[in-house]
Amino acid sequence: MASNYVVTAHKPTAVNACVTGNFTSPTDLNLVIAKNTRLEIYVVTPEGLRPVKELALYGRIAVLQLYRPPRENKDLMFILTWRYNAMILECEQNGENIEIITRAHGDVKDRVGRPSETGIIGLVDPSCSVIGLRLYDGVFKVIPLDRDNKELKAFNIRLEDLHVIDMRFLYGCTLPTLVLIHQDPHGRHVKTYEISVRDKEFQKGPWKQDNVESEALMVVAVPVPFGGALIIGQESIIYHKGDKYLAIAPPVIKQSTITCFGKVDDNGSRYLLGDLAGHLFMLLLEKEDKMDGSSVVKDLKLELLGETTVAECLTYLDNGVVYVGSRLGDSQLIKLNVEADETGSYVQTMEVFTNLGPIVDMCVVDLEKQGQGQLVTCSGAFKEGSLRIIRNGIGIHEHASIDLPGIKGMWPLKLESPLYDNMIVLSFVGQSRVLMLSGEEVEETEMPGIDGDQQTFYCGNVVHNQIIQITSSSMRLVSTESRCLVAEWRPPGGKNISLATCNFSQGVCAVGSNIFYLEIRRKELKFVSTATMLHEVACLDITPLGDGSMAAPAHHGSLCAVGLWTDISARILKLPDFESLHVEMLGGEIIPRSILMTTFEGIHYLLCALGDGSLFYFNLDPVTGGLGDKKKVTLGTQPIVLKTFRSLSTTNVFACSDRPTVIYSSNHKLVFSNVNLKEVNNMSALNSEGYPDSLAIANDNTLTIGTIDEIQKLHIRTIPLGESPRRIAYQESSQTFGVISMRYDIHDTTGTVPSRSSASTLALSTTNSGSAKLISGAPSTTVTEKGCGDEMEVHSLLILDQHTFEVLHSHQLMVSEFACSVISAKLGDDPNTYYIVGTAMVHADESEPRQGRLLIFQYNEGNKLVQVAENEVKGAPYTLVEFNGKLLASVNSTVRLYEWTSDKELRLECSSFNNIIALYVKTKGDFILVGDLMRSISLLVYKSMEGTLEEIARDYNPNWMSAIEILDDETFLGAENSYNLFTCQKDSAATTDEERQHLQDVGAFHLGDFVNTFRHGSLVMQHPADGQTVTQGSVLFGTVSGSIGLVTQLPDAMFDFLTQVQTHLNKVVKSIGKIDHSFWRSFNTDRKTEPCTGFIDGDLIESYLDLGRGKMMEVASGLQIDDGSGMKREATVDDLVKTIEELTRIH
């Protein structure tokens, strides 16, 4: 199948730019963050950052600037994408509704031009009269900012300095004036130019400075009153203003390279600087007041404040709070303290924002054997390196557990404690118990008013400081002050209660098919009414429908929801007289076991769970009791119990069953997220002093108290390594992960020392690699030739426990030996599973590695890593794959197949030579797909009879590959370095040999993100009961910006239908910056641009669910859908919603 559906399962998280200003309103302080193609807008509040808007752009953001034109009361935003779409955005607020409108837009690319090596530079001049862009070498582009111009038009000025390192607009100049650092054969120099907009050319600037530091990297324009510029290099910081020149060379900045700066004060007297090692510096410009009232810079002072994440961008918010955006690790919100802490740091971390990027490698594993994949990624780099365990669902962290088998129900109580719960009532068959919570201690206690010899159906705090307990024989009202029984009601005729439910002031119980309604008064249970249902009652609920907010929870309900046996129906009755408002036949033979009315995001729902683990949900009209919009979802295979709880001031529902699920609402859609627990029979919210905002959870034999993670679709757990992880492999037999990692050691007089402690230096046990035969033949670069203080890469193989992720063992490789690949494999008839590591000897004088090793290790029960064999190869083994019991390795330009002999040695069987550098290898059956550095992909077949590898087809397009995957026997997927995906197909039916040797291009798509790895697998629980899903296969990919995506195949009819939906959506949904969707998704390299084919943009399709009803109808009009009998009919909004919601469940 050549029809693919690409969708983002986890949005990009690496931050590449951030700015702060008043964008949403003149009084809001906003933080705007760019994450690859996404823009996030926050308001800075005393409680922290509050998200207000998230935008998806049709382009990768290259420039993000806020500026305030004269006569405007709030900031405008200038954005430029990497494909040269420029736009000016403005924010319009109507009450809660925030609209981002495009004030002006334009395409600023040139027909010819060499894109600059140092990237795109975009600047707004301080007087907001022009925007300056440096896109190509030797050309400076100017966009004049006229007020009413809807189209951004630019003109070019020739720039004689070809190699520009950095540039800024100077403050306090009458004409827009540039300051720039450029490089020529003599070194680096600083120049200034004035821009004449009328003559469209440069004029001589006010000052220049030749031969600044040879490593000068950044120029910072200093605002008025000082003016001038700071030139920041590897060793020195210079302040220059023509007549004024100051330089400092603090030794503390030489350890690493300064990469970003953030202005603290509006007058530019303090700047924050961040470097690649994660140091945060404060640069102070000391001022001197002159006699004439002007002030000049007297001195520069630099101080190290402390360590943060490796910063890509810094922005100062307010009150000593700084946002540190990172591309290589988690981003942070930090507070700068006046006093240093005991470690001498002035930096205090307030909040951490998870970033998965760059995802270098990943593997899909099912650790809990529940049919649910987890993704373990190698994320981050340098000191921010980590492993991330990503699973669909929500994590619950256990704080206490008690062995108590057979719990049938539990309810927390507040006894003379206004805020916190201090008791839990537990119900068992034929008895009830009371537990007292004091601090973190839990002990059993007696309470005179609670009947302990009966099973409890409901217990809880009610009006007038009373507690109600409903048992199988009676309803009991207990005073919290005296703890004694004050009123009791028994059903007439001495019958037993079979079911009961209660809210703060009302109670309903069922006796067979009769239901009774009582109101709770002070010391009185007032019987109000009774009714007889057609059949026996299976479940009841009288939760009052509020607005879902904690501020004013409704105490009194007017509706009662009932589920019946025999006719399998759900009914809405009106209190007090049980008048029937709505009857919904559920169909089938399974009875409803739990029913619940609830409110999510202001919308009322009725949830009805059946005994087979499926759940119906309806929209509920609180006035008429009508049910609409019936939907069904399968959550597990056992009966479900529904309970509500609150997390971060929103109501959620917990569905207890063999696959526990949290139901919450996001963008007015219900989302079902599984929980990392095996089985839950019952749960209740618990908020005690020792366990605030917790959940009490019961399974067959234990009661657990725990807290729940932030509720989101994907749950991410971080294992910090403190060094860069490069490759990962999972070994089921030893229950471990093998990870290749790289750290930096520093040379000193005695040898080398690690620059910081990290996973490989903190392992429980360590070994080192040595091989006499390789070192003797290697070029004679000895350690002593390195200078003192130089950094050196050290590669290790780490073995981590799959449950605790503790580093059990670290095996360090030799000097200048780089690890390239690791796999876990069984070879030949050998019963053992081995870790196999491919390494290369890297020397500065070689253009590519000439030597390497294949190392075979066994990790055994005694926690020992033993090297079993080693094999020398002539090059770098970039990829290793286990292939039909043999080892397949791509070494430099060759693909080699080794077999494992009975003497435990590797013997070369055959090779294939037709590549530049064979970087990637994937296999399926006897077929081998090879991804080349620059020659796209080729397909080999292994002929076992002849023992040879033969190339049968290749893609002749020059694609520089970054990852490859085999989708099925005929179709192959590739990602290349211009952020595109493509698919090729083997043409087996071709008539001539020549045609058969061509892999046909069948799909092309611009992803806008750099893919590092593809892996078969899924993050979603595979439900066999769900019937046939629409898609086939699932390939996950990880990218540099930290996003996780999914590629799956569609049947042709579905593909054609979604193509129409896509076209309709593009007409209705207006993109930000007026960029065409077809332009954005077109396959684009520096050689060619081709329209997108063979791929559906899942992110666009799923955005349909976020549209308003009117827009939804507009998109649906004119669409034809198959009605199941082969006939076409007009598609309705509900058809579309159902189809697209099914698609959202695959990720």
Side-chain angles (χ1 to χ4, degrees):
M1 264 191 300
S3 322
N4 299 290
Y5 182 81
V6 187
V7 66
T8 309
H10 183 265
K11 299 185 181 107
T13 49
V15 173
N16 39 351
C18 59
V19 289
T20 177
N22 311 98
F23 180 63
T24 52
S25 84
T27 51
D28 287 345
L29 176 62
N30 297 111
L31 170 67
V32 183
I33 300 170
K35 298 179 176 178
N36 195 31
T37 58
R38 299 193 78 82
L39 205 60
E40 294 175 7
I41 303 168
Y42 295 86
V43 172
V44 182
T45 68
E47 292 79 54
L49 297 177
R50 179 169 62 84
V52 287
K53 191 84 177 162
E54 190 176 336
L55 309 171
L57 265 74
Y58 287 164
R60 291 164 41 244
I61 299 166
V63 176
L64 169 66
Q65 299 276 357
L66 289 179
Y67 69 97
R68 175 87 55 100
R71 300 189 295 283
E72 291 277 348
N73 64 354
K74 62 180 197 306
D75 295 342
L76 300 182
M77 189 188 300
F78 171 69
I79 290 178
L80 176 69
T81 71
W82 282 95
R83 286 175 73 178
Y84 309 120
N85 295 101
M87 63 193 85
I88 291 171
L89 307 179
E90 184 180 13
C91 180
E92 283 195 352
Q93 252 179 331
N94 304 327
E96 282 298 291
N97 193 18
I98 291 183
E99 284 297 312
I100 305 294
I101 55 169
T102 307
R103 279 265 291 248
H105 63 98
D107 183 350
V108 294
K109 77 166 171 294
D110 289 349
R111 301 239 330 256
V112 290
R114 189 177 68 196
S116 296
E117 280 174 28
T118 46
I120 289 177
I121 300 175
L123 317 160
V124 183
D125 117 86
S127 64
C128 302
S129 57
V130 298
I131 292 173
L133 303 172
R134 198 289 312 266
L135 314 175
Y136 307 101
D137 287 339
V139 175
F140 185 72
K141 195 174 276 290
V142 178
I143 304 175
L145 285 175
D146 302 334
R147 250 187 90 76
D148 325 313
N149 217 349
K150 281 277 177 284
E151 193 181 351
L152 293 177
K153 286 209 167 62
F155 61 83
N156 286 347
I157 302 179
R158 204 179 131 263
L159 188 61
E160 56 190 38
D161 317 304
L162 286 180
H163 192 65
V164 173
I165 309 296
D166 194 19
M167 52 168 54
R168 287 280 179 277
F169 277 114
L170 286 173
Y171 287 87
C173 304
T174 45
L175 288 174
T177 305
L178 272 183
V179 56
L180 58 87
I181 304 174
H182 72 101
Q183 183 168 351
D184 63 16
H186 306 293
R188 291 192 181 177
H189 320 286
V190 176
K191 264 190 180 173
T192 57
Y193 290 111
E194 284 184 354
I195 299 174
S196 163
V197 179
R198 205 180 58 229
D199 303 338
K200 301 191 176 178
E201 60 182 37
F202 283 140
Q203 294 162 354
K204 192 166 162 291
W207 51 271
K208 66 178 207 175
Q209 174 69 47
D210 285 346
N211 297 322
V212 291
E213 185 197 322
S214 62
E215 294 288 316
L217 292 166
M218 275 178 7
V219 56
V220 179
V222 181
V224 187
F226 297 142
L230 294 164
I231 294 113
I232 297 170
Q234 188 77 52
E235 299 180 348
S236 67
I237 297 175
I238 301 166
Y239 172 77
H240 204 304
K241 194 191 170 178
D243 52 354
K244 186 84 181 164
Y245 177 91
L246 286 169
I248 56 169
V252 47
I253 67 168
K254 294 181 187 171
Q255 296 167 12
S256 186
T257 307
I258 290 179
T259 53
C260 56
F261 72 92
K263 187 171 71 184
V264 178
D265 307 301
D266 286 341
N267 65 5
S269 57
R270 288 180 300 173
Y271 284 92
L272 292 167
L273 306 175
D275 72 6
L276 266 179
H279 297 128
L280 185 68
F281 303 100
M282 177 75 84
L283 177 67
L284 175 69
L285 281 61
E286 284 195 353
K287 76 172 188 175
E288 180 182 6
D289 291 327
K290 284 282 183 59
M291 299 294 284
D292 59 1
S294 65
S295 42
V296 294
V297 179
K298 183 172 78 175
D299 196 8
L300 302 177
K301 290 240 174 29
L302 186 88
E303 185 157 358
L304 174 61
L305 298 180
E307 193 173 288
T308 64
T309 177
V310 176
E312 176 74 8
C313 53
L314 295 166
T315 181
Y316 182 83
L317 301 177
D318 208 355
N319 293 337
V321 176
V322 179
Y323 176 79
V324 183
S326 178
R327 199 168 48 88
L328 300 175
D330 292 346
S331 299
Q332 291 174 332
L333 204 57
I334 58 169
K335 179 137 180 64
L336 302 178
N337 295 325
V338 185
E339 303 290 327
D341 60 12
E342 59 275 6
T343 59
S345 165
Y346 295 91
V347 175
Q348 172 194 345
T349 307
M350 295 167 65
E351 202 175 340
V352 173
F353 305 95
T354 307
N355 166 25
L356 301 181
I359 299 173
V360 187
D361 191 22
M362 62 189 195
C363 62
V364 184
V365 289
D366 180 10
L367 296 180
E368 283 149 21
K369 293 278 165 283
Q370 285 189 334
Q372 162 154 14
Q374 299 185 19
L375 203 56
V376 184
T377 65
C378 294
S379 292
F382 310 117
K383 76 181 184 75
E384 304 300 330
S386 65
L387 297 183
R388 310 280 173 148
I389 300 101
I390 300 150
R391 52 191 303 277
N392 206 325
I394 293 172
I396 291 200
H397 305 286
E398 187 178 308
H399 293 301
S401 72
I402 310 156
D403 287 340
L404 273 173
I407 297 176
K408 293 284 173 232
M410 46 191 177
W411 299 270
L413 296 179
K414 295 183 176 67
L415 266 170
E416 294 164 9
S417 133
L419 288 176
Y420 292 111
D421 302 325
N422 50 9
M423 300 264 184
I424 303 181
V425 175
L426 302 176
S427 160
F428 302 88
V429 174
Q431 58 163 324
S432 300
R433 293 187 193 172
V434 183
L435 299 183
M436 191 163 95
L437 303 164
S438 51
E440 295 193 356
E441 297 299 310
V442 181
E443 52 189 324
E444 195 168 334
T445 179
E446 289 287 317
M447 189 169 157
I450 297 283
D451 180 355
D453 301 329
Q454 306 248 16
Q455 177 173 346
T456 302
F457 290 127
Y458 182 88
C459 192
N461 291 74
V462 289
V463 286
H464 308 306
N465 284 340
Q466 300 174 114
I467 286 171
I468 192 162
Q469 181 198 13
I470 307 177
T471 66
S472 41
S473 61
S474 67
M475 275 188 168
R476 306 164 53 88
L477 198 55
V478 179
S479 157
T480 52
E481 287 123 19
S482 67
R483 306 197 180 193
C484 295
L485 187 68
V486 292
E488 187 170 20
W489 176 87
R490 291 178 185 276
K495 291 189 175 151
N496 272 353
I497 296 176
S498 52
L499 276 172
T501 177
C502 200
N503 61 34
F504 208 60
S505 63
Q506 300 156 287
V508 170
C509 65
V511 178
S513 57
N514 296 321
I515 46 178
F516 300 89
Y517 167 52
L518 293 94
E519 289 188 351
I520 302 161
R521 307 282 170 86
R522 186 183 296 279
K523 300 193 178 179
E524 179 195 5
L525 287 166
K526 181 174 189 298
F527 170 70
V528 180
S529 63
T530 175
T532 304
M533 307 308 290
L534 295 172
H535 305 283
E536 202 168 320
V537 176
C539 47
L540 280 171
D541 179 53
I542 54 165
T543 309
L545 290 172
D547 55 1
S549 79
M550 204 57 175
H555 287 184
H556 199 82
S558 60
L559 299 180
C560 171
V562 182
L564 298 188
W565 287 74
T566 321
D567 71 350
I568 320 276
S569 64
R571 292 159 188 263
I572 303 291
L573 312 175
K574 189 166 178 58
L575 295 177
D577 47 12
F578 295 121
E579 172 200 341
S580 177
L581 296 176
H582 189 100
V583 179
E584 183 77 40
M585 292 299 174
L586 300 173
E589 274 126 48
I590 315 289
I591 63 153
R593 292 293 290 267
S594 183
I595 196 163
L596 182 69
M597 295 181 285
T598 184
T599 307
F600 293 119
E601 295 191 295
I603 302 173
H604 307 296
Y605 294 92
L606 175 76
L607 309 177
C608 181
L610 307 190
D612 62 353
S614 54
L615 173 84
F616 286 98
Y617 57 103
F618 308 88
N619 283 8
L620 168 63
D621 183 325
V623 183
T624 65
L627 298 178
D629 226 8
K630 173 177 172 179
K631 293 186 181 135
K632 180 183 176 184
V633 56
T634 304
L635 299 183
T637 58
Q638 298 295 317
I640 295 176
V641 179
L642 299 170
K643 295 294 257 307
T644 53
F645 70 98
R646 298 186 65 79
S647 152
L648 296 176
S649 73
T650 48
T651 300
N652 305 296
V653 172
F654 196 105
C656 314
S657 81
D658 60 332
R659 286 196 173 145
T661 306
V662 168
I663 305 168
Y664 63 101
S665 175
S666 163
N667 276 339
H668 301 295
K669 300 193 297 281
L670 290 196
V671 183
F672 303 88
S673 224
N674 17 341
V675 177
N676 64 344
L677 296 170
K678 287 274 193 299
E679 193 159 3
V680 174
N681 298 348
N682 215 300
M683 71 74 68
S684 93
L686 176 68
N687 183 20
S688 74
E689 215 161 343
Y691 303 105
D693 291 330
S694 302
L695 304 179
I697 293 166
N699 61 14
D700 286 340
N701 37 32
T702 7
L703 167 66
T704 307
I705 299 175
T707 50
I708 192 159
D709 271 341
E710 185 185 345
I711 288 185
Q712 54 195 25
K713 195 140 180 222
L714 289 179
H715 168 240
I716 299 166
R717 176 178 164 204
T718 304
I719 311 296
L721 298 177
E723 55 188 276
S724 306
R726 308 305 299 261
R727 296 284 181 272
I728 186 165
Y730 174 56
Q731 190 170 88
E732 198 179 332
S733 58
S734 63
Q735 300 214 322
T736 57
F737 286 96
V739 175
I740 284 175
S741 72
M742 182 271 284
R743 69 168 196 262
Y744 281 106
D745 283 10
I746 293 172
H747 286 277
D748 65 7
T749 45
T750 57
T752 62
V753 288
S755 56
R756 60 190 306 127
S757 61
S758 60
S760 56
T761 62
L762 300 170
L764 296 182
S765 59
T766 51
T767 47
N768 283 11
S769 222
S771 165
K773 99 178 149 193
L774 258 176
I775 290 177
S776 61
S780 58
T781 27
T782 53
V783 179
T784 49
E785 286 179 22
K786 290 266 190 180
C788 222
D790 279 357
E791 284 187 328
M792 170 181 91
E793 288 188 23
V794 176
H795 289 244
S796 311
L797 168 68
L798 309 178
I799 306 292
L800 290 94
D801 181 290
Q802 78 168 39
H803 302 295
T804 61
F805 284 89
E806 189 176 21
V807 184
L808 304 171
H809 190 96
S810 157
H811 178 85
Q812 184 174 318
L813 298 172
M814 300 186 303
V815 177
S816 59
E817 181 175 25
F818 284 29
C820 306
S821 47
V822 61
I823 60 164
S824 164
K826 280 174 104 157
L827 299 176
D829 304 329
D830 193 332
N832 300 314
T833 312
Y834 297 114
Y835 276 120
I836 308 170
V837 179
T839 72
M841 306 302 294
V842 177
H843 301 291
D845 51 357
E846 295 176 353
S847 59
E848 63 177 4
R850 290 210 302 261
Q851 269 180 318
R853 299 194 293 170
L854 298 176
L855 304 172
I856 298 186
F857 296 103
Q858 185 180 355
Y859 187 77
N860 54 24
E861 277 67 59
N863 288 0
K864 282 271 185 292
L865 187 74
V866 182
Q867 184 171 325
V868 180
E870 118 174 36
N871 196 48
E872 192 178 336
V873 292
K874 292 189 164 34
Y878 291 108
T879 313
L880 301 175
V881 183
E882 188 259 333
F883 179 69
N884 303 342
K886 299 176 180 175
L887 177 67
L888 191 66
S890 71
V891 182
N892 284 12
S893 63
T894 62
V895 177
R896 298 181 183 269
L897 184 64
Y898 295 89
E899 63 181 347
W900 186 238
T901 65
S902 51
D903 306 338
K904 299 208 168 183
E905 285 181 347
L906 286 174
R907 187 182 72 76
L908 179 63
E909 185 183 332
C910 54
S911 306
S912 157
F913 296 101
N914 197 5
N915 289 295
I916 309 285
I917 294 181
L919 289 178
Y920 314 101
V921 174
K922 291 281 165 90
T923 64
K924 185 172 198 254
D926 283 336
F927 290 108
I928 300 165
L929 186 69
V930 181
D932 191 84
L933 172 71
M934 53 209 283
R935 288 178 56 185
S936 197
I937 56 178
S938 54
L939 187 65
L940 312 177
V941 66
Y942 171 63
K943 304 214 160 158
S944 50
M945 301 301 288
E946 293 102 70
T948 58
L949 294 173
E950 185 184 316
E951 180 177 309
I952 51 172
R954 119 181 337 268
D955 172 25
Y956 286 93
N957 290 311
N959 287 322
W960 294 66
M961 303 307 295
S962 69
I964 60 169
E965 189 53 88
I966 299 178
L967 293 177
D968 57 40
D969 292 338
E970 304 282 310
T971 323
F972 313 103
L973 173 67
E976 52 86 76
N977 73 342
S978 298
Y979 314 96
N980 303 298
L981 299 179
F982 65 91
T983 50
C984 289
Q985 213 159 23
K986 181 168 97 215
D987 192 357
S988 309
T991 44
T992 65
D993 282 352
E994 193 174 328
E995 277 177 20
R996 260 200 295 275
Q997 286 165 8
H998 276 253
L999 287 175
Q1000 307 292 324
D1001 291 348
V1002 288
F1005 181 79
H1006 185 74
L1007 182 67
D1009 208 340
F1010 192 99
V1011 177
N1012 268 328
T1013 170
F1014 286 117
R1015 285 281 179 265
H1016 279 281
S1018 162
L1019 288 171
V1020 185
M1021 189 78 88
Q1022 301 301 321
H1023 286 307
D1026 279 5
Q1028 190 48 47
T1029 47
V1030 274
T1031 62
Q1032 182 191 329
S1034 166
V1035 171
L1036 296 168
F1037 58 81
T1039 72
V1040 168
S1041 71
S1043 73
I1044 294 166
L1046 180 134
V1047 181
T1048 179
Q1049 274 108 7
L1050 297 169
D1052 289 345
M1054 184 71 170
F1055 181 81
D1056 296 340
F1057 176 64
L1058 289 176
T1059 309
Q1060 286 182 318
V1061 176
Q1062 204 166 265
T1063 316
H1064 283 222
L1065 269 166
N1066 281 327
K1067 288 185 187 139
V1068 175
V1069 178
K1070 291 287 168 273
S1071 80
I1072 290 167
K1074 307 264 192 336
I1075 304 172
D1076 235 11
H1077 181 265
S1078 56
F1079 167 80
W1080 160 232
R1081 290 305 186 190
S1082 58
F1083 183 97
N1084 170 65
T1085 65
D1086 44 16
R1087 295 179 327 281
K1088 64 173 185 182
T1089 299
E1090 289 182 349
C1092 163
T1093 51
F1095 283 90
I1096 294 282
D1097 180 357
D1099 293 346
L1100 175 66
I1101 295 286
E1102 291 180 11
S1103 72
Y1104 179 75
L1105 299 174
D1106 303 334
L1107 297 176
R1109 194 77 187 175
K1111 290 266 175 78
M1112 279 185 164
M1113 292 171 81
E1114 209 179 318
V1115 173
S1117 72
L1119 282 175
Q1120 299 280 317
I1121 195 167
D1122 196 334
D1123 63 359
S1125 64
M1127 298 295 287
K1128 296 275 190 187
R1129 64 173 175 81
E1130 290 280 314
T1132 64
V1133 169
D1134 294 346
D1135 293 330
L1136 261 182
V1137 168
K1138 184 170 177 289
T1139 307
I1140 295 171
E1141 278 192 348
E1142 267 176 34
L1143 285 170
T1144 61
R1145 300 235 163 86
I1146 63 177
H1147 63 84

